[in-house]
Amino acid sequence: MLASLPAFAFGLAEDLTRRVGVRERLLATMASGVLAWWLSGISLTRVDIWGIDALLAWAPLSVIFTAFAVGGIANAINIIDGFNGLAAGVILICLSSLGFIAFYAGDPVMAKVCFVFGGVTAGFLLINFPFGKIFLGDGGAYLLGFWLAWIAVLIAMRNPHISPWSSLLACAYPIVEVLFSVYRRRRRNHHPGHPDRLHLHSLIKSRITRKRMASSSLTMKNAAVSPYLWCLAAVPALLAPMLRSHTSWLMLAFVGFFALYYSCYVALVRFAIKR
């Protein structure tokens, strides 16, 4: 909770002033990761890839790598926070997956943490979805994103017989979203932090819900996007606990999910061209 303060404070400052850039918020979230390491002594020291694990044995590199990973996941949650229930629903799915990974790994403490934080998220979700009577804002998105990221780190590092790729697969949807967004913007010669309306969730709204729910209110069209992506996020989240100790299968599942995401994206783009 203490380590999350920089991420939350900079996100809240953006909500209140609209003057805190993406870079500053990302650095603040990375600072939260460094603070969490300083308080706990835990950082990512293995990814089950030969050569990289040897490099991560050097503490400074391990801490920097952990900070980047934590900042990336938190930023990914902020990116998908655009529709009623989307971010909170995805976080709840990811936390549930991580909770079962911890439970099957014989780590009841982390399982309880996952399910308690999941309960917190579910309470918010009941008010946020479908009518949007309360919003996460950047403060909430970075706060929950940091919690999710640090829990993923803790579970992987507290349980040596569990592959770190299980945590990665549990959170695959937001991670793939941010990776593909960076690739897409670079290809278009845009800054990686440049906002656009070309995310998968944006395309689902413009290509599907807006057309199929033409007579519905804007609020309901907004909320209707989330269930599509909850289903997508649930695919890797369901696989992660089952494959928790098998790094090769987890890697293959992550690549397969990336292919699924890309196929959905291309299908929506081609649908728009046909229209």
Side-chain angles (χ1 to χ4, degrees):
M1 293 295 292
L2 181 62
S4 68
L5 288 178
F8 173 69
F10 274 70
L12 182 61
E14 166 62 9
D15 290 328
L16 298 176
T17 67
R18 298 294 180 187
R19 295 181 179 179
V20 182
V22 174
R23 180 180 299 176
E24 288 77 11
R25 282 175 276 151
L26 179 60
L27 289 174
T29 311
M30 291 172 61
S32 284
V34 174
L35 182 56
W37 160 77
W38 183 71
L39 291 170
S40 67
I42 294 175
S43 62
L44 287 168
T45 56
R46 63 185 180 89
V47 292
D48 287 358
I49 298 178
W50 185 86
I52 296 181
D53 285 0
L55 294 174
L56 292 178
W58 187 45
L61 184 60
S62 174
V63 173
I64 293 171
F65 180 77
T66 304
F68 270 104
V70 168
I73 293 179
N75 190 59
I77 296 301
N78 188 57
I79 283 178
I80 66 172
D81 183 30
F83 295 93
N84 296 348
L86 177 53
V90 169
I91 289 170
L92 184 56
I93 290 168
C94 295
L95 283 173
S96 298
S97 179
L98 290 169
F100 280 108
I101 291 171
F103 176 78
Y104 290 132
D107 191 348
V109 172
M110 289 310 303
K112 289 177 182 177
V113 168
C114 289
F115 296 135
V116 168
F117 278 41
V120 171
T121 306
F124 167 83
L125 182 61
L126 290 174
I127 308 174
N128 173 250
F129 181 84
F131 300 111
K133 295 184 179 296
I134 189 172
F135 296 97
L136 281 176
D138 281 22
Y142 278 103
L143 176 65
L144 292 184
F146 171 76
W147 285 355
L148 177 65
W150 193 250
I151 286 172
V153 170
L154 287 174
I155 289 175
M157 293 300 102
R158 284 166 56 97
N159 301 282
H161 56 292
I162 295 297
S163 172
W165 283 81
S166 62
S167 292
L168 187 73
L169 188 62
C171 305
Y173 164 59
I175 292 173
V176 168
E177 180 67 52
V178 75
L179 290 175
F180 189 73
S181 297
V182 170
Y183 164 75
R184 185 185 69 247
R185 290 166 181 169
R186 283 294 190 186
R187 190 174 180 183
R188 296 165 63 91
N189 294 320
H190 292 163
H191 188 276
H194 179 74
D196 59 35
R197 295 184 179 181
L198 297 175
H199 297 290
L200 182 60
H201 50 265
S202 303
L203 293 179
I204 289 175
K205 181 183 179 182
S206 61
R207 312 298 194 241
I208 300 178
T209 62
R210 192 165 63 184
K211 293 178 172 63
R212 294 186 176 180
M213 303 176 65
S215 60
S216 301
S217 66
L218 292 176
T219 299
M220 294 309 296
K221 290 177 185 176
N222 177 304
V225 173
S226 298
Y228 286 96
L229 291 161
W230 293 344
C231 292
L232 185 65
V235 173
L238 287 170
L239 290 173
M242 293 188 287
L243 303 174
R244 59 191 178 278
S245 300
H246 305 285
T247 299
S248 298
W249 283 107
L250 288 163
M251 289 179 175
L252 185 62
F254 186 84
V255 173
F257 177 73
F258 194 100
L260 174 63
Y261 174 97
Y262 183 75
S263 298
C264 293
Y265 195 96
V266 170
L268 287 170
V269 171
R270 288 178 177 173
F271 173 77
I273 294 173
K274 291 179 181 179
R275 295 285 293 185

